[in-house]
Amino acid sequence: MEYLPAAAPAQGHILCCQCGVPIPPNPANMCVGCLRAQVDITEGIPKQGTVHFCKQCERYLQPPGTWIHCALESRELLALCLKKIKASLSKVRLIDAGFIWTEPHSKRLKLKLTVQKEVINGAVLQQVFVVEYTVQSQMCEDCHRIEAKDFWKAVVQVRQKTVHKKTFYYLEQLILKHRLHQNTLRIKEIHDGLDFYYSSKQHAQKMVDFLQSTVPSRSKSSQRLISHDIHSNVYNYKSTFSVEIVPICKDNVVCLSPKLAQSLGNMSQICVCIRVTSTIHLIDPRTLQIAEIDGNTYWRHPFNSLFHPKQLEEFIIMDISRVHEKKKGAGAGARSNKHTLAEAWVRKTSELDTDQQYFCCTHLGHILNPGDLVLGFDLANCNLNDEFANKMNPQHIPDVVLIKKSYDRSRRQRRRNWKLKELERDREATDTDDERQYQDFLEDLEEDETIRKNVNIYRNADIPVESDTDDDGAPRISLAEMLEDLHISQDATGGEGAEMLT
């Protein structure tokens, strides 16, 4: 039997002083395995920790007292976790850090850390280890105040002295789109408006500025002294902001003052409100002349709606003819390009057994045809209780003002494959009239593309998409204008974006 000599190390290698494995030379003369067995560079670094999470506002506690929003596996959450072991990491060099995926509902966060440290005789050792954090629920101070429901520093009272709530429904969608409701402690709905409660005057002032830039309104503020510390000279006030929105809604018929009508390009005093955004958009149904009135102009020359929305009557178009050329009057302003001027003979559907017909000019010539049903107001058989209308020449007051084409409402509801989000608020008892007004607002969105651009519309997956073969001509919203409704889970480790990241 021959005895073979032990394998000599390759040229440029040495034998580990512990296990004898050939290794490249290093200051410790040991292989990586033996070096790790001798030295643990992660000693003193905690492998477990705790982070506090508020379920109500979905924020994490950043000691000592700051609460911040962090999405799951975000850089902000990684920085927050590393700060908790920052003191222990000062003895090593952090090379890499990242999350290990965990179930969003497990209330666990796992960090994979790579660190380096100089050990025996200047050798640099690199090691990978995992730190696990337990997510514990803790309510933040702001949410404590919200739960109390009686702690607030400022309130914004939004009012509109009208029966119809179209402007409020539009305003609600603007607030949701721009996320102005995030800082509210509580939203309370009353019969003629909304109350927004805030923990600071700055948040309330921000809401007032937003309202004044989105709807024609005016505001005033007041404050009440709650307490006063005479030693530190600190005053504690409760502030109240009152915002009054102009009492004009879409589809209202209004009567302007002679001075205001003249300043708007010699418009007719009887006009129709076609839209309310940051200004009041009016159109003269006899000439298609349009005008915009901002909040300041309205409060200098106020006017009211002539009719209640429930006074809308249904007419049937007996005959209609488009007016292609209409001579402009002296000093006339701009005309609408989206409407068509027409002259029509109409009859009330409640008077079909009579021969009574009405002649009128309308701005709806582009959508009306003989036999169509249309909603409008009868000025010939009503008593107008308005200071400007009573002084007008009766010959200048039209017999009928047509407002919008009438469609089958129940059919429109069945095939409406979209929906809107709503603000969470304390409601008074709702009635059937509120539901009718909300349906009116949804129909306005379908009919007016300009308003629709300012609203987030979400696809309703529960309603199947119908083909256009069985179409009665009612306006519809295309799928391209809808957003997918993301159901973001509100679990302990997720916050916003949890569903997308998992």
Side-chain angles (χ1 to χ4, degrees):
M1 178 182 291
E2 293 186 22
Y3 291 93
L4 297 176
Q11 188 174 3
H13 284 59
I14 63 173
L15 299 177
C16 174
C17 64
Q18 292 289 332
C19 63
V21 174
I23 59 172
N26 62 64
N29 296 328
M30 282 192 289
C31 64
V32 176
C34 295
L35 192 58
R36 286 179 176 170
Q38 295 287 330
V39 180
D40 181 13
I41 64 174
T42 65
E43 185 179 2
I45 301 177
K47 305 302 187 295
Q48 292 182 336
T50 303
V51 293
H52 295 91
F53 178 76
C54 179
K55 291 182 178 180
Q56 275 73 14
C57 61
E58 299 181 5
R59 294 188 297 175
Y60 290 88
L61 174 62
Q62 180 174 296
T66 306
W67 292 83
I68 59 175
H69 287 281
C70 298
L72 182 66
E73 298 187 4
S74 64
R75 297 176 62 181
E76 294 79 7
L77 185 57
L78 180 63
L80 186 145
C81 294
L82 290 176
K83 283 182 180 179
K84 290 187 168 292
I85 57 174
K86 182 179 180 180
S88 304
L89 291 175
S90 60
K91 298 179 181 179
V92 297
R93 185 193 308 163
L94 181 63
I95 301 300
D96 188 28
F99 284 99
I100 299 177
W101 186 85
T102 56
E103 289 286 350
H105 60 271
S106 64
K107 295 188 177 181
R108 295 292 186 274
L109 298 175
K110 290 186 178 181
L111 262 62
K112 182 181 179 181
L113 305 180
T114 303
V115 296
Q116 287 183 353
K117 185 179 181 180
E118 189 175 308
V119 290
I120 304 172
N121 296 328
V124 177
L125 181 62
Q126 180 172 304
Q127 193 167 341
V128 179
F129 65 103
V130 176
V131 180
E132 181 178 312
Y133 290 92
T134 302
V135 180
Q136 291 187 355
S137 298
Q138 178 178 326
M139 186 178 291
C140 64
E141 294 182 0
D142 293 337
C143 292
H144 268 296
R145 294 169 179 172
I146 294 174
E147 290 298 318
K149 290 187 178 181
D150 58 352
F151 182 89
W152 54 272
K153 289 288 186 67
V155 59
V156 179
Q157 299 174 338
V158 188
R159 301 289 184 268
Q160 186 182 32
K161 297 177 181 178
T162 58
V163 177
H164 208 291
K165 298 181 179 180
K166 283 185 179 180
T167 306
F168 273 107
Y169 291 133
Y170 173 66
L171 191 60
E172 176 183 18
Q173 297 304 316
L174 289 179
I175 292 173
L176 285 168
K177 181 173 183 176
H178 296 279
R179 307 177 71 85
L180 263 294
H181 62 292
Q182 287 186 324
N183 296 319
T184 55
L185 299 178
R186 179 189 179 197
I187 302 175
K188 183 179 179 182
E189 179 180 348
I190 58 175
H191 67 283
D192 60 348
L194 293 170
D195 289 346
F196 298 87
Y197 294 88
Y198 294 90
S199 59
S200 69
K201 184 178 178 181
Q202 290 76 15
H203 291 154
Q205 185 65 56
K206 185 178 179 181
M207 172 60 84
V208 173
D209 295 339
F210 173 78
L211 294 175
Q212 291 183 329
S213 65
T214 52
V215 290
S217 58
R218 63 180 177 181
S219 66
K220 60 182 180 180
S221 62
S222 62
Q223 56 185 12
R224 179 164 58 95
L225 180 64
I226 302 302
S227 62
H228 173 214
D229 189 346
I230 60 175
H231 300 290
S232 59
N233 204 28
V234 174
Y235 293 83
N236 184 19
Y237 290 100
K238 278 192 174 182
S239 302
T240 301
F241 296 87
S242 178
V243 180
E244 183 181 359
I245 303 175
V246 295
I248 304 297
C249 292
K250 185 180 183 298
D251 297 337
N252 283 166
V253 176
V254 299
C255 184
L256 308 179
S257 65
K259 184 177 180 181
L260 179 59
Q262 183 180 11
S263 66
L264 296 176
N266 292 325
M267 287 185 71
S268 171
Q269 288 183 246
I270 303 294
C271 297
V272 178
C273 177
I274 56 175
R275 191 180 305 116
V276 177
T277 55
S278 57
T279 57
I280 304 172
H281 298 255
L282 300 178
I283 188 170
D284 184 352
R286 297 196 293 181
T287 62
L288 295 189
Q289 188 173 335
I290 56 176
E292 295 184 14
I293 300 177
D294 59 13
N296 294 330
T297 304
Y298 176 84
W299 298 117
R300 287 198 303 268
H301 306 282
F303 51 87
N304 297 312
S305 174
L306 298 180
F307 292 94
H308 189 280
K310 292 183 178 179
Q311 293 176 284
L312 275 172
E313 296 187 68
E314 192 175 57
F315 296 83
I316 184 170
I317 303 294
M318 306 304 295
D319 188 23
I320 187 169
S321 60
R322 275 73 175 177
V323 179
H324 298 288
E325 293 186 5
K326 182 76 173 180
K327 186 178 178 181
K328 271 194 173 185
R335 290 184 179 179
S336 173
N337 296 323
K338 298 182 179 180
H339 300 83
T340 301
L341 185 63
E343 296 177 344
W345 285 94
V346 298
R347 180 182 293 181
K348 290 184 182 180
T349 55
S350 59
E351 298 177 351
L352 291 179
D353 54 343
T354 66
D355 295 332
Q356 179 67 41
Q357 293 190 21
Y358 303 92
F359 175 80
C360 64
C361 292
T362 179
H363 59 291
L364 304 176
H366 56 297
I367 58 174
L368 294 181
N369 295 294
D372 286 344
L373 297 178
V374 61
L375 299 177
F377 293 107
D378 180 8
L379 280 74
N381 302 310
C382 70
N383 293 323
L384 295 177
N385 186 17
D386 184 86
E387 59 172 326
F388 302 129
N390 293 336
K391 297 177 182 179
M392 287 182 62
N393 186 341
Q395 296 180 354
H396 296 162
I397 299 179
D399 292 338
V400 172
V401 177
L402 302 182
I403 300 299
K404 60 181 179 179
K405 188 174 179 180
S406 179
Y407 301 96
D408 186 353
R409 168 166 285 189
S410 60
R411 186 175 182 181
R412 293 180 73 172
Q413 291 182 14
R414 286 196 306 269
R415 70 181 189 184
R416 185 172 289 141
N417 58 342
W418 55 274
K419 59 185 178 180
L420 301 175
K421 292 189 176 180
E422 297 183 8
L423 288 174
E424 294 184 3
R425 55 187 183 268
D426 300 336
R427 296 176 181 267
E428 293 184 342
T430 57
D431 53 18
T432 55
D433 191 48
D434 289 342
E435 179 61 27
R436 182 188 62 82
Q437 294 182 23
Y438 187 68
Q439 293 299 325
D440 288 343
F441 173 69
L442 297 183
E443 292 176 2
D444 289 344
L445 288 180
E446 293 175 336
E447 297 167 5
D448 194 336
E449 182 181 356
T450 304
I451 294 180
R452 203 159 61 230
K453 291 179 180 178
N454 300 327
V455 175
N456 284 342
I457 297 173
Y458 298 91
R459 184 174 180 274
N460 189 355
D462 298 334
I463 308 293
V465 179
E466 294 185 1
S467 63
D468 295 335
T469 55
D470 187 22
D471 195 358
D472 59 353
R476 301 176 68 176
I477 298 179
S478 63
L479 288 174
E481 299 179 79
M482 301 180 193
L483 303 173
E484 289 293 337
D485 189 11
L486 290 176
H487 297 282
I488 299 174
S489 61
Q490 300 180 357
D491 49 71
T493 59
E496 289 193 13
E499 206 57 28
M500 291 181 283
L501 287 168
T502 57

